[in-house]
Amino acid sequence: MALEILNGKKITDIPILEKSPNLYMFDYNELKRFNLDVTKYIENPIIINEPSSIYREHTKFFVISTLTIFILSIIVVILKANIQRREKLELELSNRIEFDKVLLDTIPNPIYYKNVEGKFLGCNTSFANLVSCSRDEIIGKTAFDFFPHKIATANTLIDKELLYTFSTSTSEFTFYTKANEMKHIILNKAVYKNIDGSVGGIVCIMDDITERIQQKQFLIQQSKLAEMGDMIAAIAHQWNEPLVELSALVQDIQTSYLLKELKDDEVKEFVNDSMVQIKYMSKTLSDFRNFLKPSTKKNLFSISKALNEINEIIGKQVFYSNIKMNFNYENENEELLIYGYENEFKQVLLNIINNAKNKIVEKNLPINQKGTIDINIRRSSNSNTIEIVDDAGAIDEKIINSIFEPYFTTKEDGTGLGLYMAKVIIEEKMRGTISVRNDGNHVIFTIKLPHKKV
């Protein structure tokens, strides 16, 4: 202010200072000597010669260290919480794995899973029991170590296709266990993926249908036995003519012998004629025996041959019942084949034809009027179709949808197994279809069967 006045500035232009700009400065040593504490009287004084503290010298270090410790503490807390969470998840995962193992072992179906190379990674107890090995013996091995080479090869091809298409597969095979027990197995396969999306391998669930097949085979045989009466009647009709013929031959040879006119040529002719009739009767018994014998495996067989054998068994019985049975081939020069069980197929046709014959007989037609059973055979692109058509009258529409149900029958002494087993044989065992419909006064049973392996 003095300098401003000396430089010519008017005093009136210099503002009045209401607050002193002076700074209070004290010497630390003097304050200590007099034991004075000026902070009680002056705000924020300047202390000179005050010795510096470690904190003041390293304030930045302390601040950084404190922040670092704080951050590390937070990280430790987070890591601890994460470890606890992981331990909890691991415990839950271990419990889940243990549960899955118990669940797999509880399932009666044999189950296994393998990698893309076809080596087993694990299985349940049912599969281990099926192949009579422990789990440790199974892991790392392939299907060739437990199943016949043909079956293992076929399944290897199925696995390759599954790994390529990522689809599912259902197949069926039969094999013998180490205890020489025959097992019928249905295989259901699917591809599984790892968490990262890569292909892990194939899981397979087996369905042991041995008992079901045996039960159905038993029912099939039971239904055959239920038809024994008709079969014996058919044999009686088949043997009637040969027996009459043999009787006449015996009487002729006896007459010639008594009249002493018996010649060597007549004896030879008698033997030859007798053998023809005996062979015919023997063939009838053979056909009957073959009919009762269950087919053990699928194969290709001729429809015409099967129909001819059926005609040999019941043809004359149908004829004597005043019924005309016609076999109508769409193309007579074409040999039609079916892939399936021949004897069971004949059983189905025999059952349907017998039912038609019995219904026609129940109508009590006049002698001059014949009933008709038409069997139409034709080929399509993927299957062969057999139609059995009779004119015994339509089936009541109220029951037509129930005739294939087990134990359903309209006969007083019927078992209700015939048409049910026909459906089982055609649709389950031979992978075909069977249906029935009315066409005016006619009933048409339609059977469609593949002419190649499916």
Side-chain angles (χ1 to χ4, degrees), residues 132-386:
S132 301
C133 293
S134 66
R135 289 180 179 176
D136 293 336
E137 292 173 328
I138 294 171
I139 293 174
K141 293 184 178 179
T142 67
F144 290 92
D145 296 307
F146 306 106
F147 302 107
H149 187 273
K150 184 178 179 180
I151 294 173
T153 301
N155 277 276
T156 300
L157 295 176
I158 293 173
D159 293 346
K160 287 182 179 178
E161 184 177 354
L162 287 179
L163 293 171
Y164 179 75
T165 59
F166 294 98
S167 58
T168 58
S169 169
T170 300
S171 58
E172 184 177 339
F173 71 91
T174 302
F175 81 106
Y176 286 88
T177 64
K178 290 183 178 179
N180 204 31
E181 293 179 342
M182 186 173 67
K183 294 288 184 180
H184 298 275
I185 303 292
I186 293 179
L187 265 69
N188 300 290
K189 292 184 175 182
V191 176
Y192 69 90
K193 294 184 178 181
N194 296 318
I195 296 177
D196 59 2
S198 62
V199 178
I202 294 175
V203 63
C204 175
I205 300 178
M206 295 180 165
D207 188 7
D208 187 351
I209 59 171
T210 305
E211 187 174 345
R212 275 178 280 170
I213 286 181
Q214 290 174 345
Q215 288 175 346
K216 286 180 179 178
Q217 192 62 48
F218 172 75
L219 287 175
I220 291 171
Q221 289 300 106
Q222 189 178 10
S223 66
K224 282 184 180 181
L225 293 175
E227 297 167 6
M228 284 284 286
D230 290 332
M231 293 293 294
I232 292 171
I235 290 176
H237 281 288
Q238 294 287 75
W239 280 19
N240 186 52
E241 287 185 15
L243 287 173
V244 170
E245 187 70 24
L246 280 173
S247 176
L249 289 171
V250 169
Q251 288 177 357
D252 285 345
I253 201 74
Q254 184 184 30
T255 301
S256 298
Y257 175 76
L258 292 174
L259 296 175
K260 297 182 180 181
E261 296 176 355
L262 187 61
K263 299 178 181 179
D264 292 343
D265 291 342
E266 291 179 346
V267 173
K268 187 176 181 181
E269 185 179 353
F270 167 75
V271 171
N272 289 336
D273 291 343
S274 298
M275 288 307 298
V276 168
Q277 302 303 326
I278 291 170
K279 285 179 180 179
Y280 175 78
M281 296 170 70
S282 177
K283 185 178 183 304
T284 304
L285 278 180
S286 179
D287 291 340
F288 179 64
R289 187 169 55 250
N290 288 335
F291 171 77
L292 291 177
K293 189 190 307 179
S295 301
T296 56
K297 63 180 181 178
K298 289 183 176 181
N299 52 30
L300 282 171
F301 62 89
S302 167
I303 294 180
S304 60
K305 176 177 174 291
L307 290 174
N308 288 337
E309 290 177 359
I310 289 174
N311 191 40
E312 287 290 329
I313 294 174
I314 63 169
K316 291 190 177 180
Q317 186 182 10
V318 171
F319 175 78
Y320 290 130
S321 299
N322 200 30
I323 298 170
K324 185 178 181 181
M325 186 162 61
N326 305 309
F327 296 91
N328 307 313
Y329 292 89
E330 188 175 65
N331 186 354
E332 293 185 2
N333 298 323
E334 184 179 16
E335 181 67 32
L336 300 183
L337 301 177
I338 290 176
Y339 183 77
Y341 299 96
E342 183 175 2
N343 284 344
E344 278 71 8
F345 170 72
K346 289 190 287 187
Q347 176 187 346
V348 171
L349 293 183
L350 193 65
N351 179 271
I352 296 173
I353 293 171
N354 266 333
N355 286 345
K357 181 205 70 172
N358 293 334
K359 284 186 64 179
I360 294 173
V361 170
E362 289 173 4
K363 290 178 67 176
N364 293 320
L365 296 173
I367 296 177
N368 60 348
Q369 183 180 348
K370 284 181 174 285
T372 304
I373 299 175
D374 287 315
I375 301 173
N376 306 318
I377 305 98
R378 65 179 181 273
R379 176 188 176 91
S380 60
S381 57
N382 296 319
S383 62
N384 291 316
T385 302
I386 302 99

Side-chain angles (χ1 to χ4, degrees), residues 432-448:
T433 61
I434 182 171
S435 60
V436 63
R437 61 186 172 89
N438 291 321
D439 184 13
N441 195 43
H442 294 77
V443 175
I444 304 174
F445 281 86
T446 303
I447 299 171
K448 292 184 178 180

